[in-house]
Amino acid sequence: SLLFGAITVSEAACPCNIQNGRLSCQDGSIADFPEDLDRLGCNLDYGSVWGLIIENQPITILKANAFAMFPNLMQIVMSFNQIQIVEKDAFRGMTEVRTLFMKDNNLTVIEDGALDPLVNLQTL
């Protein structure tokens, strides 16, 4: 019954959902992206996501391969977070992304080449 209780709690704890192909999360729920999605028990169909809306989160670093579990992304909205660093391979594989919004973060470092995979980017 202990295991059952843990499963019930983790499923109930997922602060994110997907609506019409867009994944969004409750404010303040994601500090470590994307690891917190697993840690918080989110069992979502990431392949169906074309838009990612991660705002008002305490995220400070966009790590290498941050979006690897979202192979069909076309829009990334990561505004109003606390992102300071974008690692070189954060956007690896994100060749279909057309829109990237990162308004109102604390960006201090965007590592060389970090935006290179975004070959179809139209709006930054």
Side-chain angles (χ1 to χ4, degrees):
S1 66
L2 184 60
L3 178 60
F4 178 75
I7 290 170
T8 303
V9 168
S10 66
E11 286 175 357
C14 180
C16 306
N17 64 57
I18 299 171
Q19 286 188 308
N20 301 318
R22 289 181 161 173
L23 182 138
S24 61
C25 299
Q26 294 170 9
D27 289 359
S29 60
I30 306 292
D32 196 13
F33 180 84
E35 292 83 357
D36 277 355
L37 296 178
D38 286 333
R39 188 182 63 76
L40 295 170
C42 296
N43 185 15
L44 303 170
D45 179 10
Y46 299 121
S48 72
V49 174
W50 62 265
L52 193 62
I53 303 167
I54 305 293
E55 295 183 309
N56 300 304
Q57 306 296 342
I59 300 167
T60 57
I61 299 174
L62 270 188
K63 295 182 222 149
N65 302 305
F67 304 98
M69 60 200 278
F70 303 98
N72 299 306
L73 275 185
M74 295 179 69
Q75 178 184 67
I76 299 173
V77 179
M78 297 198 83
S79 299
F80 310 107
N81 296 309
Q82 298 170 25
I83 299 169
Q84 298 170 7
I85 299 168
V86 177
E87 291 187 353
K88 180 179 185 236
D89 293 320
F91 297 104
R92 179 185 284 161
M94 296 294 100
T95 56
E96 296 306 312
V97 170
R98 306 284 196 275
T99 306
L100 173 63
F101 291 118
M102 294 188 67
K103 178 181 169 185
D104 289 334
N105 280 287
N106 299 318
L107 287 172
T108 53
V109 176
I110 298 176
E111 293 185 0
D112 287 346
L115 302 178
D116 290 355
L118 302 171
V119 294
N120 286 302
L121 193 66
Q122 296 171 358
T123 307
L124 176 62

